[in-house]
Short mmCIF file of all heavy atoms in Angstrom, two decimals:
data_model
loop_
_atom_site.label_atom_id
_atom_site.label_comp_id
_atom_site.label_asym_id
_atom_site.label_seq_id
_atom_site.Cartn_x
_atom_site.Cartn_y
_atom_site.Cartn_z
N ALA L 338 21.99 11.58 60.88
CA ALA L 338 21.95 13.01 61.15
C ALA L 338 23.30 13.61 60.83
O ALA L 338 24.34 13.08 61.24
CB ALA L 338 21.59 13.27 62.60
N LEU L 339 23.30 14.72 60.09
CA LEU L 339 24.52 15.38 59.65
C LEU L 339 24.60 16.77 60.27
O LEU L 339 23.74 17.62 60.01
CB LEU L 339 24.57 15.47 58.12
CG LEU L 339 24.48 14.13 57.38
CD1 LEU L 339 24.41 14.37 55.88
CD2 LEU L 339 25.66 13.23 57.74
N LEU L 340 25.62 17.01 61.08
CA LEU L 340 25.77 18.28 61.79
C LEU L 340 25.88 19.45 60.81
O LEU L 340 26.59 19.37 59.80
CB LEU L 340 27.02 18.22 62.67
CG LEU L 340 27.35 19.47 63.46
CD1 LEU L 340 26.27 19.77 64.50
CD2 LEU L 340 28.72 19.33 64.14
N ALA L 341 25.17 20.55 61.14
CA ALA L 341 25.20 21.74 60.29
C ALA L 341 25.68 22.98 61.02
O ALA L 341 26.39 23.80 60.45
CB ALA L 341 23.81 22.01 59.69
N ALA L 342 25.28 23.16 62.32
CA ALA L 342 25.64 24.39 63.02
C ALA L 342 25.50 24.18 64.52
O ALA L 342 24.80 23.26 64.98
CB ALA L 342 24.76 25.55 62.56
N LEU L 343 26.15 25.05 65.28
CA LEU L 343 26.07 25.07 66.74
C LEU L 343 26.13 26.52 67.19
O LEU L 343 26.99 27.28 66.72
CB LEU L 343 27.22 24.27 67.35
CG LEU L 343 27.25 24.14 68.87
CD1 LEU L 343 26.13 23.22 69.35
CD2 LEU L 343 28.61 23.61 69.34
N ALA L 344 25.22 26.94 68.08
CA ALA L 344 25.16 28.33 68.50
C ALA L 344 24.76 28.41 69.97
O ALA L 344 24.04 27.54 70.48
CB ALA L 344 24.15 29.11 67.65
N PRO L 345 25.21 29.47 70.68
CA PRO L 345 24.74 29.68 72.06
C PRO L 345 23.25 29.94 72.08
O PRO L 345 22.70 30.54 71.15
CB PRO L 345 25.53 30.91 72.51
CG PRO L 345 26.67 31.03 71.55
CD PRO L 345 26.18 30.47 70.25
N ALA L 346 22.60 29.50 73.14
CA ALA L 346 21.15 29.65 73.27
C ALA L 346 20.82 30.22 74.65
O ALA L 346 21.71 30.35 75.50
CB ALA L 346 20.47 28.30 73.05
N PRO L 347 19.57 30.58 74.90
CA PRO L 347 19.20 31.11 76.23
C PRO L 347 19.50 30.13 77.35
O PRO L 347 19.68 28.94 77.15
CB PRO L 347 17.69 31.35 76.08
CG PRO L 347 17.44 31.46 74.62
CD PRO L 347 18.45 30.57 73.97
N ASP L 348 19.56 30.67 78.58
CA ASP L 348 19.77 29.86 79.79
C ASP L 348 21.08 29.11 79.77
O ASP L 348 21.19 28.02 80.34
CB ASP L 348 18.60 28.88 79.99
CG ASP L 348 17.26 29.58 80.16
OD1 ASP L 348 17.21 30.54 80.92
OD2 ASP L 348 16.29 29.15 79.53
N GLY L 349 22.08 29.65 79.11
CA GLY L 349 23.38 28.99 79.07
C GLY L 349 23.39 27.74 78.21
O GLY L 349 24.24 26.88 78.39
N GLY L 350 22.44 27.63 77.29
CA GLY L 350 22.34 26.43 76.47
C GLY L 350 23.08 26.56 75.16
O GLY L 350 23.68 27.58 74.84
N ALA L 351 23.05 25.47 74.41
CA ALA L 351 23.61 25.44 73.06
C ALA L 351 22.56 24.88 72.12
O ALA L 351 21.82 23.96 72.48
CB ALA L 351 24.87 24.58 73.01
N LEU L 352 22.45 25.45 70.96
CA LEU L 352 21.48 25.02 69.95
C LEU L 352 22.24 24.42 68.78
O LEU L 352 23.03 25.10 68.12
CB LEU L 352 20.65 26.20 69.48
CG LEU L 352 19.48 25.90 68.55
CD1 LEU L 352 18.44 25.04 69.24
CD2 LEU L 352 18.86 27.20 68.05
N ALA L 353 22.05 23.13 68.56
CA ALA L 353 22.72 22.44 67.46
C ALA L 353 21.72 22.22 66.33
O ALA L 353 20.54 21.98 66.56
CB ALA L 353 23.28 21.10 67.93
N LEU L 354 22.22 22.29 65.11
CA LEU L 354 21.38 22.16 63.93
C LEU L 354 21.97 21.07 63.06
O LEU L 354 23.18 20.99 62.87
CB LEU L 354 21.37 23.49 63.17
CG LEU L 354 20.24 23.74 62.17
CD1 LEU L 354 18.91 23.88 62.88
CD2 LEU L 354 20.54 25.00 61.38
#
Side-chain angles (χ1 to χ4, degrees):
L339 302 175
L340 179 65
L343 183 71
D348 299 315
L352 187 63
L354 199 67

